Amino acid sequence: MSDSVNRRQWLTSTGLAAGSALLAPRLLSAMDRPATERSALGARSYDEVLTQLEHDVTAARRAAGPIRLAYNENPFGMSPKAKEAITANWSEHSQYNLASIPELQKTFAQSVGVPPEYVLITQGSGEVLDIAAIAYGLHGREVVTSWPTFEGLPRYAEAMGSVVHKVGLTKDLDHDLAALDARITNATGLVFMCNPNNPTGILPDQAKVRDFVRSTAHKALVVVDEAYHDFVDAPGYSSMTDLVLKGENIIVSRTASKIHGIAGLRIGFAIARPDIVARLGACMTGTPNAFGVAAATASIRDTTYQDFVRARNKEGRDLLTKTLQGMGKRVAPSQTNFVFFQSGVPVETVQARMKAKGFLTGRPFPPYTDWCRISIGTPDEMKQLVAALPDALKA
């Protein structure tokens, strides 16, 4: 029996074939071709492949409905080359101690400009935040964070018995650095900073926030969540990884869930000094999965796909922002794959109205109960969305 037949049988038995066919039907048939042809995805140009992917994904999401614009997901899913990587390495799913993890560690390290020993591969960036809370936020130590922000680390720290001090945002929805600094005491073990922030999408003044992170790192460990790093196009922005290389007491968290579109396969990255990496590694509860590791490695190398997603995201973000501003709404300047805006009506009302029109939109983020967060979908979805907004936002 041929290798291609065996692979198709395995894909069918595991359900991956159905998922692949739903997202991009023409890609699955390319997997059954000889390796030389599969590497070119059917001998088509990659631009053609991505154009077809956009068409297929938009149609599949519309058919599945309502369209998911609530969870800051990549609507296009994983890179076609990531799909290829999963099928090419499918046999590793039966093994422990994955040989592919060091390859991903090296690939990611090269992409962000740090040595491999400065990188820890985790089960999603959520695990980075959880094990940081365990390693640095327990045993009588406290956590300080802006609020609202990404809830993973604060919520987990509270569940583990830590005291979490939540510092409100400024009137401009920015991190209140002075108030955060005032909250830090000798009992503080960890300070959490989401940059850009979620749910606001705002990128704080980078000179000020870097000064804050650098000075705070001498008092407590600082976790900088850069989940949306790949969507930032603001001048003057750069990752905090250079501070890690200078030996600062900092963990930078990244994810393969956003621009790489593999949220369901749970791959995350911690970037920190080797001694911090070792301390975090001792707190891990499991091992990243083989499919996620293969997909993430291929996707990090697939810069063409990243550029494609980034461009489509900016197109949708700009359209949504311009539409909302034209309606007189206050819009937070987003540097992410979502937009946060003042709806003028309760978020639950917006959710219900938008769901009736075929869209899932974001939940409430107290105390901003009349602000709504909408994730960026495909260009076609965003055109449909902005047409539905006037009715959904009626007072």
Side-chain angles (χ1 to χ4, degrees):
M1 188 175 292
S2 71
D3 178 67
S4 64
V5 173
N6 283 334
R7 183 177 295 111
R8 177 174 285 281
Q9 289 174 340
W10 175 80
L11 286 169
T12 302
S13 68
T14 59
L16 185 58
S20 298
L22 176 65
L23 292 178
R26 292 165 178 79
L27 298 182
L28 187 60
S29 62
M31 293 174 185
D32 285 338
R33 301 182 182 184
T36 53
E37 291 186 26
R38 287 202 308 272
S39 65
L41 291 167
R44 291 174 291 162
S45 74
Y46 203 35
D47 284 345
E48 291 176 317
V49 170
L50 295 180
T51 298
Q52 187 63 54
L53 173 66
E54 181 176 338
H55 176 273
D56 292 342
V57 162
T58 300
R61 283 164 56 90
R62 185 184 301 116
I67 296 168
R68 294 165 62 96
L69 300 179
Y71 308 106
N72 302 346
E73 298 159 334
N74 178 347
F76 302 101
M78 73 176 73
S79 152
K81 292 182 180 179
K83 290 189 178 85
E84 280 196 320
I86 289 176
T87 58
N89 296 281
W90 66 272
S91 62
E92 198 178 20
H93 77 279
S94 63
Q95 302 170 5
Y96 296 115
N97 303 318
L98 302 178
S100 55
I101 290 180
E103 181 184 2
L104 174 57
Q105 182 184 30
K106 181 179 179 181
T107 300
F108 178 76
Q110 289 176 337
S111 75
V112 298
V114 301
E117 60 268 25
Y118 279 66
V119 173
L120 181 68
I121 309 299
T122 61
Q123 300 169 99
S125 63
E127 186 177 34
V128 176
L129 306 183
D130 290 349
I131 60 181
I134 292 173
Y136 294 92
L138 302 184
H139 309 296
R141 289 169 293 181
E142 300 176 352
V143 174
V144 174
T145 182
S146 293
W147 198 261
T149 191
F150 181 63
E151 298 171 351
L153 190 154
R155 182 177 59 228
Y156 191 77
E158 286 180 327
M160 298 298 289
S162 295
V163 173
V164 178
H165 297 286
K166 300 174 181 177
V167 178
L169 304 176
T170 69
K171 61 181 178 61
D172 296 322
L173 304 181
D174 205 347
H175 296 298
D176 192 333
L177 301 180
L180 286 166
D181 185 63
R183 177 57 74 176
I184 297 169
T185 69
N186 290 335
T188 305
L190 185 152
V191 176
F192 179 59
M193 173 72 61
C194 195
N195 183 45
N197 195 25
N198 176 18
T200 65
I202 288 178
L203 185 73
D205 182 295
Q206 290 300 281
K208 292 180 180 178
V209 78
R210 289 176 73 84
D211 285 345
F212 171 81
V213 169
R214 188 184 297 109
S215 63
T216 301
H218 295 285
K219 308 171 189 176
L221 179 90
V222 182
V223 177
V224 182
D225 185 348
E226 294 183 351
Y228 300 95
H229 166 85
D230 298 292
F231 296 108
V232 178
D233 56 17
Y237 168 77
S238 63
S239 171
M240 301 284 181
T241 52
D242 63 307
L243 298 181
V244 172
L245 289 173
K246 291 176 181 177
E248 300 285 3
N249 198 31
I250 295 169
I251 299 170
V252 172
S253 172
R254 295 277 189 87
T255 182
S257 297
K258 302 305 177 186
I259 202 165
H260 299 292
I262 57 173
L265 294 180
R266 311 308 302 132
I267 297 293
F269 311 93
I271 307 165
R273 294 191 321 251
D275 62 302
I276 296 177
V277 166
R279 185 167 175 176
L280 294 177
C283 297
M284 288 180 64
T285 60
T287 305
N289 73 86
F291 299 145
V293 170
T297 303
S299 188
I300 290 167
R301 294 168 177 166
D302 191 357
T303 56
T304 299
Y305 180 73
Q306 294 171 45
D307 289 343
F308 161 78
V309 174
R310 192 178 293 109
R312 296 299 190 276
N313 181 77
K314 185 175 184 341
E315 179 182 342
R317 188 175 71 191
D318 289 349
L319 174 62
L320 180 55
T321 299
K322 182 178 179 180
T323 299
L324 290 166
Q325 289 174 338
M327 296 172 63
K329 300 299 181 181
R330 183 183 173 194
V331 185
S334 176
Q335 285 289 301
T336 61
N337 65 343
F338 59 86
V339 171
F340 193 58
F341 65 96
Q342 192 164 25
S343 56
V345 293
V347 175
E348 294 87 351
T349 300
V350 179
Q351 285 182 301
R353 290 173 177 175
M354 290 305 297
K355 187 173 182 179
K357 294 178 179 295
F359 296 93
L360 295 181
T361 55
R363 59 181 174 81
F365 294 92
Y368 300 98
T369 55
D370 68 339
W371 285 71
C372 181
R373 190 189 71 182
I374 296 181
S375 307
I376 305 305
T378 69
D380 184 66
E381 290 170 354
M382 298 312 293
K383 291 173 185 176
Q384 296 177 52
L385 176 98
V386 298
L389 281 176
D391 285 342
L393 301 182
K394 286 180 180 177

